[in-house]
Structure formats: structure tokens, C-alpha cells
Amino acid sequence: MKRNMLAIIILAATLVNLTLSAVMIFTVIPKAKRTDALIEKIVAAVELETESGIGKNYGEIAPGDQDEYTFADKAINLKANGDKVSIAQVSITITLNKKHDDYQTVQPLIAGKENKIVAAVSAVLSNYTSAEVSTYAEDINKDALKKIQDIFQSDCIIEATLNVLAAN
């Protein structure tokens, strides 16, 4: 009798397992397929977006494919330290990617937009005191790059380097 009872319990467990497997096959798997299809559509949309001009991956850019412009000795106001006004003498170097689709459009405009570039850099540096400039140099360069890219509405400009020569 104990063997028959054990066989019945095993049979019942097998039937429950079979029932739950059937439920999973007919309910969970179709939903997973729909979710997978949705994710594929999102990935396709993101790939289309990255294939447009901005956000295009140009890989590592060789030094020969870079073009630099320097605006030297610009006087820029820094954040006041207490009641002491600070002025920095800054050299701004902008690096362009020669292989970028927008290079032929952006390159001729660099010299003409010098005042806007200096104003953008000034807006970034005005948030820092003379003591903070060296500490946050990397963040300052990133913020300046973003503002300069916004001026030209292109990521053809790959780097902005600010060299603070003197800060009073």
C-alpha cells in the first residue's frame, strides 16, 4: 500500500509539473517573444540615431586627422573669491576631426566665431575660483567642449583644452 501511495504522489507531482510547464509555454513565452521584438525595434531606432551626423563613432582619431586652432592670451574673469576679483590669462586650443562629415562646414567658421568661443569659455570659467581652476581642469575642459560644440551644433570639435597661464 505504501508503494501505491508513493506512486500516486509521484504521478500527482508529474501532472502538476506538466500543467505548469504547459501554462508557461502558452503564456510566458509569447510575452517574452513580444518583449524581444520590442527591444529589437528600440535597438534599431538607436542604431539609426547613431548613424546620423552627431553621435557617429569615428573611432580613434590619428594625430594627422586632427586640426588645432589656438586663441592665445585671452583675459577671462573667474569667480570672485570673497571680495577679491580674479582674472585669468587663458590660452584656448580647439581640436577638430578632419575626417568628420561637418569638418568642411565648421573649419572656416572657427576664426569668425572667436568671440563666441571666448564667451563660452568665460561662462564656464566664471563658475570657478582661481584656486579651483587647476583642481577641476578636466571638468572645465569637458564643459567648455560641450559649450563650443553647442555653438557649432556639431561634434566635429573633439577637444577643447584651456591652458590657464596666470590667475590673479
Side-chain angles (χ1 to χ4, degrees):
M1 183 78 180
K2 285 186 178 183
R3 285 189 176 202
N4 285 339
M5 190 64 121
L6 188 58
I8 292 173
I9 292 173
I10 292 172
L11 180 63
T14 304
L15 289 175
V16 168
N17 188 16
L18 181 65
T19 305
L20 292 176
S21 296
V23 167
M24 185 175 71
I25 287 172
F26 294 114
T27 59
V28 175
I29 291 177
K31 287 182 182 179
K33 285 183 180 180
R34 282 183 273 174
T35 303
D36 188 44
L38 177 65
I39 290 171
E40 286 178 10
K41 288 179 183 178
I42 292 170
V43 167
V46 169
E47 284 178 3
L48 286 176
E49 201 170 291
T50 59
E51 289 175 6
S52 67
I54 293 179
K56 190 171 183 180
N57 185 5
Y58 287 91
E60 193 167 322
I61 301 164
D65 295 333
Q66 297 177 9
D67 195 7
E68 289 188 351
Y69 291 89
T70 302
F71 305 110
D73 301 333
K74 301 296 176 187
I76 296 177
N77 291 329
L78 299 175
K79 184 177 179 182
N81 191 5
D83 59 346
K84 183 181 173 191
V85 177
S86 297
I87 298 175
Q89 185 177 359
V90 180
S91 177
I92 306 165
T93 302
I94 297 173
T95 307
L96 297 162
N97 177 2
K98 289 182 181 179
K99 298 229 179 207
H100 194 282
D101 299 337
D102 293 341
Y103 176 75
Q104 296 298 328
T105 306
V106 172
Q107 187 267 338
L109 299 175
I110 295 287
K113 301 255 183 189
E114 179 178 354
N115 290 336
K116 283 190 174 188
I117 292 168
V118 171
V121 170
S122 179
V124 170
L125 282 173
S126 66
N127 296 321
Y128 297 92
T129 64
S130 58
E132 294 173 334
V133 168
S134 61
T135 306
Y136 298 107
E138 189 174 317
D139 292 336
I140 292 170
N141 288 340
K142 285 180 185 177
D143 292 345
L145 173 63
K146 176 78 172 105
K147 286 201 177 267
I148 293 169
Q149 286 176 337
D150 289 346
I151 291 170
F152 293 98
Q153 297 177 346
S154 173
D155 62 347
C156 175
I157 301 167
I158 56 172
E159 186 177 23
T161 307
L162 308 179
N163 186 13
V164 180
L165 305 172
N168 299 343

